[in-house]
Structure formats: C-alpha cells, structure tokens
Amino acid sequence: SNDSSARPWFVSIVFKSDRHNSNQHIWNYGEGTGSNDDNIYLRHDSNGNLYFGWGRDGARNECFLTGGINTSTWYGVYIASKGTRLSGGNASAINLTNAFDIEIMSSADGFTGLTGGNISSNWTSTGGRMDRGFAGTFSIGGRGANRSFHGKIAACVVSTMKRNVALPNDTEKKLIIT
C-alpha cells in the first residue's frame, strides 16, 4: 500500500508445540486481555489448529492456517501485512486475503519449501476493524499475562517495511524464516 496511513510489517517465528490442551498465543502484539483491547496474534487452539488474527473480542478477523500441529515438528510461520487499514465494513474475506501474505515451512521437509503460495484465504471470522490506532506491547510466548505458549521458540524476526515496495519474494521469505 502507498496510502499515507499504511504501516506494512512482517513477523516470522519458528516454534515447536507441545500441544498443551489450551488456547495459546505464540506471539501477540496488542493491548491485552480486556474485551475492548485490540490484538494482532498467532495462536493455536487445544486441537492443534493454527490461526492468525487481528481485532478484539466480538469483532475479530481470524484466518485458519493449518490443522494438526505435530509435537515433533518445528514450524516456521511468516506473516506480512501489506499495510492495509480496513474498517469493519470493509474487512471482508477477499479484502483480508489481499491485505496479508502468509507462508508456513516446517522441519517435516527440512525447511526446504514454503506452503506453495499465500495461505491467507481461509478467514473463519471477518468484520473486525483494523483502522483503530492502538498501543501495547509485542509478546513472544503468550498474550501478556495469559494464553501462555507451552512449547519452544527458536527464532522470531519482526520488521516494518517501506510503503509501496514489493513484499519479500519466496527466496527472501525462506531466508527470513530460516
């Protein structure tokens, strides 16, 4: 995006889950645990399903990334926001898919391949505002004081990007993850 309000960024994280029977945030950027607190996060549920989300309780955009996280596998997840700031009414599945670039690699194939394209198209909830300014902190391994991650984290890279510049290509994404 070249919009003056655009704030493109990416987060890459390499983790291994122990599949603790709880809702766990692998990383979170946001305001906290209150119902009016905005958060951007990567989480997995008690069934080992992996989700990326942005919003607050009752008004959240959440994308299903993959299921069946395996306890013996390391996963590398790359999530890039193109900087789009959607209002709740514009946060449709199509607009959200166009706003993000998401890829996963794993130790199952020796971290040799990406998922084969942007996997940000399976939005399970939409309509959450992304145009509010919010403060907060970036947490690795939880969401502030709750939703602790019960696995291992090997690496995390967080960066802002320039507006109106192409996102990293597949070779660059692999380097960022590994």
Side-chain angles (χ1 to χ4, degrees):
S1 176
N2 196 32
D3 186 279
S4 62
S5 297
R7 300 293 182 263
W9 52 265
F10 75 79
V11 176
S12 171
I13 194 157
V14 177
F15 70 93
K16 185 178 187 181
S17 176
D18 73 353
R19 291 284 304 272
H20 185 269
N21 189 24
S22 63
N23 186 21
Q24 304 174 44
H25 281 222
I26 300 163
W27 64 259
N28 186 82
Y29 172 66
E31 299 171 335
T33 61
S35 61
N36 289 323
D37 291 340
D38 286 299
N39 292 282
I40 306 168
Y41 57 86
L42 178 68
R43 72 171 182 94
H44 83 68
D45 64 15
S46 59
N47 295 317
N49 297 314
L50 192 63
Y51 297 90
F52 164 68
W54 183 323
R56 57 177 59 171
D57 288 344
R60 179 178 304 128
N61 304 310
E62 194 165 70
C63 183
F64 172 80
L65 303 181
T66 191
I69 296 292
N70 187 317
T71 59
S72 63
T73 302
W74 286 91
Y75 295 89
V77 179
Y78 163 90
I79 300 171
S81 166
K82 297 175 184 177
T84 306
R85 304 291 300 248
L86 298 170
S87 66
N90 288 325
S92 67
I94 289 171
N95 288 342
L96 289 163
T97 297
N98 292 329
F100 295 97
D101 183 25
I102 303 174
E103 298 272 4
I104 299 176
M105 296 175 72
S106 77
S107 63
D109 69 358
F111 282 98
T112 59
L114 296 170
T115 48
N118 184 359
I119 61 168
S120 67
S121 61
N122 195 8
W123 293 91
T124 58
S125 64
T126 61
R129 287 181 59 187
M130 299 167 51
D131 58 353
R132 276 192 285 265
F134 64 95
T137 58
F138 185 82
S139 303
I140 300 171
R143 181 178 73 176
N146 74 354
R147 298 197 176 172
S148 296
F149 180 62
H150 296 273
K152 296 178 181 178
I153 295 175
C156 184
V157 178
V158 180
S159 182
T160 58
M161 294 186 288
K162 291 184 177 182
R163 288 182 322 200
N164 205 30
V165 173
L167 292 175
N169 63 34
D170 285 352
T171 301
E172 293 166 328
K173 289 179 219 177
K174 287 180 186 180
L175 289 171
I176 290 166
I177 292 170
T178 60

